[in-house]
Amino acid sequence: IKNLKKVEELLKTRQQNRVLRKNLTELSRKIKDKIEKEFIGEAIRCFGTRPSSARATILLSWIAGMHHLHRFVYKNKKKLQSFNKVLPINTSKNLIKKINKIEDFSEVGEDIFILKLKEAQIIDKNMHKQLKTQLDLRNTCGHPNSISISDSKVEAFIEDIIQNILLHFKVN
């Protein structure tokens, strides 16, 4: 009876996992950019392993989201001008002062990037708060520690990245 319960729990978990992966895969089909689609696809595959590779899922999803936001700002001339206007304000002397090419975003830390998006009024305070929360979880997952990340938290994270970044911010 003890082994039967373990098998039943395992089957239930696998069935739930298939449903979650199916939902995320359907949502990811709406992503247009090839690179972002590949990162999210890999994240979903990591999420589908058992036990799930929660940390990898979160890291890959975050990378896709940041890539998208970089493209969103860079490809919109007015947003890039607004971003460049606030970039040098109250930041390290070593920080890049202007984004001239998309690769320049790699010189800006993610926390500063998110702050500058808010200061340039590219995102509102609620999106800033959401991105900061996601960045905190991404940072937790990117470094060795004893924190356990639940599947529900991972699913919510990747779903938020897809819906609130990849599908929300339209890149021309």
Side-chain angles (χ1 to χ4, degrees):
I1 292 178
K2 192 175 183 181
N3 286 338
L4 182 60
K5 283 188 178 191
K6 282 185 178 183
V7 169
E8 286 173 348
E9 285 177 28
L10 183 62
L11 287 174
K12 184 178 176 184
T13 301
R14 284 185 179 167
Q15 289 169 339
Q16 290 170 336
N17 182 259
R18 273 191 287 254
V19 170
L20 294 177
R21 283 183 60 199
K22 183 180 178 203
N23 293 342
L24 290 172
T25 300
E26 287 174 10
L27 190 56
S28 73
R29 287 190 181 117
K30 298 176 183 177
I31 300 168
K32 306 241 185 288
D33 183 75
K34 182 183 177 195
I35 293 170
E36 293 161 12
K37 189 173 242 164
E38 286 176 9
F39 269 86
I40 291 296
E42 189 171 343
I44 292 168
R45 287 190 301 279
C46 287
F47 182 59
T49 62
R50 286 293 154 229
S52 76
S53 298
R55 294 172 192 279
T57 300
I58 287 173
L59 292 171
L60 289 164
S61 301
W62 180 257
I63 291 167
M66 287 298 97
H67 178 265
H68 187 81
L69 286 172
H70 292 163
R71 287 179 47 246
F72 176 74
V73 172
Y74 186 75
K75 296 216 176 210
N76 184 311
K77 192 174 186 176
K78 287 184 181 181
K79 294 196 185 322
L80 182 59
Q81 287 173 343
S82 296
F83 187 85
N84 278 332
K85 185 176 179 181
V86 300
L87 185 59
I89 301 170
N90 295 326
T91 54
S92 166
K93 293 176 183 171
N94 298 330
L95 185 68
I96 190 169
K97 302 297 183 211
K98 185 176 181 185
I99 302 297
N100 292 307
K101 56 188 185 295
I102 197 161
E103 294 80 8
D104 290 343
F105 284 110
S106 67
E107 300 294 322
V108 181
E110 293 168 336
D111 55 339
I112 298 294
F113 175 67
I114 292 167
L115 176 64
K116 296 303 175 180
L117 288 176
K118 181 180 159 215
E119 289 176 3
Q121 298 180 342
I122 295 168
I123 61 172
D124 64 19
K125 67 178 184 177
N126 294 317
M127 181 60 75
H128 177 259
K129 185 177 177 182
Q130 178 68 22
L131 289 173
K132 285 289 292 172
T133 300
Q134 290 176 317
L135 177 58
D136 288 345
L137 181 56
R138 174 262 177 254
N139 288 339
T140 297
C141 292
H143 304 283
N145 60 62
S146 61
I147 302 295
S148 178
I149 313 294
S150 69
D151 280 352
S152 59
K153 187 174 267 193
V154 175
E155 179 190 14
F157 186 93
I158 191 171
E159 192 172 27
D160 281 347
I161 293 289
I162 294 170
Q163 290 181 333
N164 295 321
I165 298 176
L166 301 179
L167 300 180
H168 178 75
F169 294 98
K170 305 294 184 209
V171 178
N172 299 333

